[in-house]
Amino acid sequence: MAEQHFVVIGNGPAGNEAALTLRHHAPEARVTIISREWGGCYRPHLLPQFVAGKLTEENLYVFSAASYKDNRIKLRSGQEVVTVHPDKREIILDHKEILPFDGLIIAVGGRPRIPENLMVFGDLMLTLKTVQDAKIWIRKLNETDTVLMIGGDLTSLSFTTQLMDMGKKIYFALNEEAFWPLRFDRHLYEQIAGRLSLKGVEVLKYSRIKGMNRLTNGMVEVNTDHEKVRAGVVGAFFGLTPDIAFLARSGLKIDRGILVDEYLHTGFEGIYATGDCAQIFHPDSRDYWVSIGHDNAVALGRTAALNLIGERVKAEAAMACIFDVQGVRVNSSWWMEF
Ligand SMILES: Cc1cc2nc3c(=O)[nH]c(=O)nc-3n(C[C@H](O)[C@H](O)[C@H](O)COP(=O)(O)OP(=O)(O)OC[C@H]3O[C@@H](n4cnc5c(N)ncnc54)[C@H](O)[C@@H]3O)c2cc1C
């Protein structure tokens, strides 16, 4: 029988774990990871500490580039998948190469979500998702002592703590959209605003950003419906949204994420989706759920790989995964509330 070729798209925690599991359980198969970003797999949740100078870049990585060779995994980093043809069993890369597969795991994760009304200010705001983003933050923070955080997702709160440790002056603009995808809740809002204030963060209550202008190279002015704030860096933190626009015409079923059954199967033979980009059917609730979080992603990556090689492992609805948001306990099942 010809050697099987398993392809994993994405080298985040889910994709990397999927590839390792395939390697371990299917020693004869060829395993390829395609990753848009350069280099090996890193832990995105450590980026705030990296920006704060508490970790080196090396500390972020789970796997060095050499380890892929040792594990007989072909890592094609710096390459982007632009289309998947499930029927033809091939993917197309951005440089037009066609790559055939026998089995495919899609683990493309999420990208920072920017609310539509703020998109026009996109080039004035920074997000934090990749090592590259972190390096831009480091460069900008070297030049300024004031930061305006807009949003309020889980990342922004842990990042604020790191920025405070760096001695930065922080303004935090909270509004009703801030906790997306958490449903707005006055009690949670007051709690988080209160805790931020206690830490010395200046909390701005507003309902709308009316304008944003670059005054000089190192200063941005932001107008809300209540006040005007000037900061050296403006960060946008509105959660992550599955990064799946490139699959729009693939024939895969897509809603907010890639729709899969409880085995992470897309409905196309040998094609699975996993990690933050998957929207997973839950037979008990008869609804779909989306996971977020490092540990969930690793577990889901393993599950997809085991199912691709013929096992029948259900994705655990890891609803019990609790985040601690500045002392407030938040259950990750909030992703149910799209
Ligand atoms: C700053 C930050 C802080 C966080 N803090 C925490 C925390 O404290 N606790 C926690 O549990 N979780 C945290 N998270 C969330 C956690 O990191 C994610 O849930 C997890 O990384 C999801 O893993 P994933 O593999 O599904 O996706 P991702 O990590 O998003 O990886 C997706 C991969 O796919 C690649 N890719 C995307 N599109 C393509 C394409 N078309 N072609 C090729 N490659 C592609 C990307 O380059 C990336 O390598 C944080 C995330 C961030 C960004």
Side-chain angles (χ1 to χ4, degrees), residues 47 50-51 127-128 130-139:
L47 290 174
F50 171 54
V51 173
T127 53
L128 181 60
T130 65
V131 174
Q132 221 39 48
D133 296 338
K135 288 180 176 172
I136 297 173
W137 271 98
I138 291 170
R139 187 162 47 78

Side-chain angles (χ1 to χ4, degrees), residues 145-317:
D145 285 326
T146 50
V147 180
L148 169 63
M149 305 287 282
I150 307 179
D153 64 14
L154 299 175
T155 312
S156 67
L157 300 170
S158 71
F159 191 32
T160 296
T161 306
Q162 301 299 334
L163 294 171
M164 298 291 292
D165 288 352
M166 293 173 80
K168 302 293 176 190
K169 161 82 187 163
I170 315 288
Y171 298 96
F172 207 119
L174 278 175
N175 79 347
E176 296 201 358
E177 259 205 290
F179 306 114
W180 186 95
L182 261 180
R183 188 170 293 162
F184 176 74
D185 166 334
R186 170 73 44 200
H187 179 65
L188 179 66
Y189 176 91
E190 295 296 345
Q191 249 189 317
I192 291 181
R195 280 168 201 268
L196 285 169
S197 301
L198 272 179
K199 280 179 178 265
V201 174
E202 196 157 321
V203 179
L204 315 173
K205 298 184 182 177
Y206 76 105
S207 56
R208 195 158 77 83
I209 300 281
K210 286 169 64 183
M212 219 181 276
N213 302 302
R214 188 179 301 284
L215 296 180
T216 61
N217 225 352
M219 191 61 70
V220 176
E221 184 174 82
V222 178
N223 293 302
T224 73
D225 40 7
H226 293 304
E227 55 201 313
K228 210 176 254 189
V229 186
R230 288 181 178 182
V233 193
V234 179
F237 290 89
F238 292 92
L240 298 174
T241 187
D243 198 1
I244 52 172
F246 74 106
L247 295 172
R249 280 189 288 277
S250 65
L252 292 166
K253 289 195 194 101
I254 282 169
D255 181 28
R256 294 298 296 232
I258 304 165
L259 296 178
V260 290
D261 65 14
E262 64 265 48
Y263 302 99
L264 305 178
H265 191 236
T266 59
F268 286 90
E269 198 190 331
I271 304 183
Y272 293 78
T274 194
D276 280 10
C277 71
Q279 201 175 336
I280 305 163
F281 186 67
H282 195 296
D284 296 339
S285 65
R286 305 199 63 74
D287 202 351
Y288 288 86
W289 59 284
V290 176
S291 142
I292 191 163
H294 175 270
D295 295 355
N296 289 355
V298 171
L300 290 171
R302 193 177 311 124
T303 301
L306 291 173
N307 289 332
L308 173 56
I309 56 171
E311 293 195 21
R312 292 280 287 171
V313 185
K314 280 189 188 178
E316 288 295 325

Side-chain angles (χ1 to χ4, degrees), residues 10-14 36-37 44-45 81 107-110 128-129 155 275-276 293-294 297:
N11 195 25
R36 185 167 57 195
E37 286 166 70
H45 62 279
V81 175
V108 291
L128 181 60
K129 172 67 196 353
T155 312
D276 280 10
H294 175 270

